[in-house]
Amino acid sequence: MKETLQRWWRTLFGPRMFYGWRRGDGVWLAHTRISGASRLEAPERLQIEDHVYIGPFNFIDASGGLTIGEGCQISTHCVVLSHSSHQAVRLAGRSYWGEADPPGYRRAPTSIGAYSFLGSHSVVAPGSRIGRGALVRAFSYVSGEVPDFAIVAGQPARVIGDTREADEAWFAAHPDARADYDEWVRRTGAGGS
């Protein structure tokens, strides 16, 4: 009985995954999944492609402009920012509130390239650009540029590897899957989403 009640409680009140997303420009993304337990700020400024997964308990800020490329996965407890006010609040104190353009306030577009992965508890700072096919390891802090296919880790995140090396080992065992990989790499092109 207790297990039945717990299952019922989780079903009614637990985090839910929503399948499909209507972008700000009206385009329906049928294969995009976003957890209802994640917070999306300024969704009208979010340029998102299809096949994206945003898991539970993330904070996604698009107020300064945010692009999330096709097939991205944002695991859980991640923060993706396109603005930062912590310095402005500290510099201005009480006068920060109501100030049109407080000193130290930063707003910059952020982008995450196609088929990239953000590990749990990672933070992406405003103005960062994560290339396509990149992997951000758990608990990393990304500020700036991450090259295509890079594996990054640490605080601050540094390049520690290349996803293509791991992919090649997998393709050696599964050569039939290579065509799909080559197709998305060709389609998204260098710097594409």
Side-chain angles (χ1 to χ4, degrees):
M1 177 70 166
K2 182 180 176 183
E3 291 174 6
T4 302
L5 286 174
Q6 287 174 338
R7 191 174 328 113
W8 178 80
W9 182 265
R10 281 193 306 269
T11 300
L12 285 177
F13 302 107
R16 294 185 185 270
M17 188 58 65
F18 294 97
Y19 293 80
W21 178 262
R22 186 161 314 277
R23 229 173 25 198
D25 61 3
V27 173
W28 177 251
L29 307 172
H31 303 104
T32 290
R33 298 158 298 156
I34 300 176
S35 172
S38 281
R39 174 72 182 161
L40 281 102
E41 292 283 327
E44 69 280 0
R45 307 252 2 242
L46 174 61
Q47 178 59 38
I48 188 171
E49 299 301 325
D50 208 1
H51 302 277
V52 169
Y53 171 84
I54 298 175
F57 311 116
N58 293 299
F59 180 77
I60 310 296
D61 163 44
S63 64
L66 174 61
T67 301
I68 299 176
E70 179 181 59
C72 284
Q73 296 179 2
I74 300 175
S75 56
T76 184
H77 295 93
C78 296
V79 177
V80 179
L81 300 169
S82 61
H83 92 280
S84 178
S85 59
H86 72 88
Q87 185 176 24
V89 170
R90 188 175 61 252
L91 292 173
R94 288 182 181 171
S95 66
Y96 170 82
W97 305 104
E99 180 78 30
D101 189 22
Y105 188 86
R106 180 159 188 242
R107 186 178 305 273
T110 302
S111 68
I112 304 170
Y115 296 96
S116 291
F117 176 83
L118 299 184
S120 296
H121 300 276
S122 56
V123 175
V124 179
S128 295
R129 183 202 162 276
I130 297 173
R132 64 199 176 115
L135 186 151
V136 176
R137 286 211 168 155
F139 296 96
S140 295
Y141 177 79
V142 175
S143 181
E145 192 88 12
V146 172
D148 289 350
F149 303 102
I151 299 171
V152 298
Q155 299 175 4
R158 300 280 185 246
V159 175
I160 62 165
D162 190 309
T163 59
R164 292 171 291 197
E165 291 172 14
D167 296 343
E168 286 303 325
W170 193 84
F171 288 131
H174 306 279
D176 294 344
R178 184 63 190 236
D180 292 331
Y181 180 89
D182 290 342
E183 192 276 330
W184 82 254
V185 169
R186 180 198 53 75
R187 185 173 28 80
T188 61
S193 61

